[in-house]
Amino acid sequence: MESWITANKIPLGLWMRDFVDFLNDEAEWVFEAISDVLRFLVGGLIEVMAWFPPLVLIALFAALAWWLQRSWKLVLLLVLSLLLIVNLGYWKATVETLALVLFATFFCMVIGVPVGIAAAHRPWLNTAIRPVLDLMQTIPTFVYLIPTLILFGLGVVPGLISTIIFAIPAPIRLTQLGVSSVPKQLLEAGEAFGASKSQLLWKVELPHALPTIMAGLTQCIMLSLSMVVIAALVGAAGLGQPVVRALNTVNIGMGFEAGLAIVILAILLDRVCKQRGRV
C-alpha cells in the first residue's frame, strides 16, 4: 500500500511550476510594469533621503518623532541611535532598508485594513480567508522568493513583494479583531441617533478599533524588518546585504554591527508609530 501511494505521487510541484511559467509567459508585460513602477518608487524615495546630509535627515526624523509623540526621551534615543549608525558606516544601507520597510508597510496597511474591515462585517469572508492567512504566515519565507524572483527578476521588487505577502496577514487579522470587538451597545447607540453604516464605521468602529489597528501596523513593521536579510538574497539593497556577506565570510564584527543597525531601526520605528502616551 505504501509503495502504491509513493508511486502515484500527486504532481503539486509540477502544477505550481506550470502555473508560474504560464503567468511568466502570458502576463510578462504586467509583471514588468509592476516591477518598473515599484523600482521607480523605492529608488526615488532612497534617492530623496540620500540627497539630504545624514545630520539634516536625522534632525527631520527627530522633528517628526517629536510631532507624533511629544517625548524628548524618544527624540534623544532616536538621535543618539541614528548617530551610532552613521558612526558604524551603515547609514546608506539603513536608508535603503527604511525605504523598503516603509513601502512594504504602506501597501500592507492599504490592502490589509479594508480586507480586515470587510472580514469583520462578513463572517463568511473571515472564515474563507483564515486558512489563506495561516498559509501565508506558515510557509517558509524562502519559498516566496522562488516565484517572485521568476516573475519580477533580480532586485528590490521580489524582496518587496515577498515582504508584503509575509507581513500582510498581521494588519488583516488585527483589523478584523478590532472592528469585530466593538461593543454592541456602542453600535446600538449610534443606530439610535440615526447613524448610517458608513458613519458607524468612521465614527464608532474605527475609533474604537484604532489601538488594535495600530498594533497591526507595528507588527507589520517588525515582520517587514525580519525579511530584510532574506530579501537581500534576491538582490534587495539595505542592511541585509552586509549580514549576508558576514555570513559568507564568517565575519562576526560585520554581522554584529549590521544586526545592531536592524535592531535599532526596529526599535525606533516601533516607538515612533505607537499611539501617543504608549511609548
Side-chain angles (χ1 to χ4, degrees), residues 44-250:
L45 180 59
I46 292 174
E47 290 182 3
V48 169
M49 289 192 292
W51 181 81
F52 290 94
L55 295 181
V56 174
L57 197 57
I58 291 174
L60 293 176
F61 290 154
L64 178 62
W66 173 257
W67 179 67
L68 291 173
Q69 299 295 343
R70 292 294 193 274
S71 172
W72 66 267
K73 294 180 181 179
L74 175 61
V75 173
L76 181 61
L77 173 66
L78 183 144
V79 171
L80 293 179
S81 300
L82 293 182
L83 287 177
L84 175 61
I85 291 177
V86 174
N87 176 262
L88 294 175
Y90 291 101
W91 178 252
K92 181 181 178 182
T94 301
V95 167
E96 294 169 344
T97 296
L98 179 61
L100 177 64
V101 171
L102 289 178
F103 270 103
T105 304
F106 171 77
F107 286 117
C108 286
M109 296 304 292
V110 167
I111 300 171
V113 171
V115 173
I117 294 173
H121 290 163
R122 299 169 178 81
W124 64 267
L125 178 60
N126 183 42
T127 303
I129 66 174
R130 189 184 300 123
V132 178
L133 299 180
D134 292 339
L135 188 67
M136 293 168 68
Q137 288 186 305
T138 54
I139 286 183
T141 51
F142 286 97
V143 177
Y144 296 135
L145 298 179
I146 302 172
T148 54
L149 183 61
I150 295 173
L151 296 175
F152 297 100
L154 198 65
V156 68
V157 177
L160 177 61
I161 299 295
S162 300
T163 301
I164 293 172
I165 295 173
F166 179 68
I168 200 171
I172 294 177
R173 289 185 186 275
L174 287 170
T175 300
Q176 186 274 332
L177 175 64
V179 174
S180 61
S181 63
V182 176
K184 291 183 178 180
Q185 294 85 346
L186 286 178
L187 297 175
E188 291 172 355
E191 292 173 350
F193 282 99
S196 63
K197 289 185 177 180
S198 61
Q199 289 174 328
L200 284 176
L201 173 64
W202 290 101
K203 297 184 178 181
V204 178
E205 292 178 325
L206 288 182
H208 185 274
L210 184 60
T212 309
I213 295 174
M214 293 302 294
L217 173 64
T218 56
Q219 284 292 312
C220 187
I221 293 172
M222 296 302 105
L223 291 171
S224 299
L225 278 168
S226 70
M227 287 288 291
V228 167
V229 177
I230 297 174
L233 296 176
V234 291
L239 292 168
Q241 288 189 346
V243 174
V244 173
R245 288 199 299 268
L247 179 62
N248 292 333
T249 58
V250 198

